[in-house]
Amino acid sequence: MFGQVCGKTLGTLFQGEKFFKTMRNIAYASGITAFTMLGFDVASLTAGAFNRDSPLYQFNKYLHKSDVYSGFQFFVTTVAVFTGGFARATKDCIPSESGKKT
């Protein structure tokens, strides 16, 4: 929601196509990364539900002991949420290749 508010506000202030394309690319990349990390967490928790000695579960547990990994995961997810809302709110600001606004 905050990203959408900022997107609508900045969309009226900036008309630079490069800025909006950069934000859309960041939203895409961070969204894919966050979704992949979420999928890994779900897969390891599912494996751990059946077998606590599962290598996948143990590896994920080891990763989450690290403040760096947990901080990175939180940061990427926050960026994905913010830029995703921003990109959605400003989708009318970027004309597509065919000349129509996307």
Side-chain angles (χ1 to χ4, degrees):
M1 184 160 156
F2 181 70
Q4 288 180 337
V5 170
C6 289
K8 286 289 185 189
T9 304
L10 292 174
T12 59
L13 296 177
F14 296 107
Q15 295 302 321
E17 195 173 312
K18 188 181 275 189
F19 174 73
F20 294 112
K21 284 186 178 182
T22 301
M23 289 300 282
R24 184 181 285 175
N25 290 337
I26 291 171
Y28 179 77
S30 62
I32 292 293
T33 305
F35 188 73
T36 302
M37 287 190 292
L38 173 68
F40 177 72
D41 284 344
V42 170
S44 67
L45 289 174
T46 303
F50 296 106
N51 180 12
R52 292 282 180 191
D53 295 328
S54 166
L56 186 63
Y57 177 76
Q58 293 300 323
F59 181 62
N60 191 45
K61 189 175 173 183
Y62 173 76
L63 285 175
H64 279 283
K65 287 181 183 177
S66 168
D67 289 338
V68 174
Y69 178 79
S70 295
F72 176 75
Q73 190 171 27
F74 179 78
F75 174 76
V76 168
T77 304
T78 302
V79 169
V81 169
F82 177 79
T83 57
F86 186 93
R88 177 172 284 189
T90 59
K91 68 181 177 183
D92 294 333
C93 297
I94 305 172
S96 66
E97 283 75 23
S98 64
K100 296 179 184 175
K101 290 189 175 189
T102 59

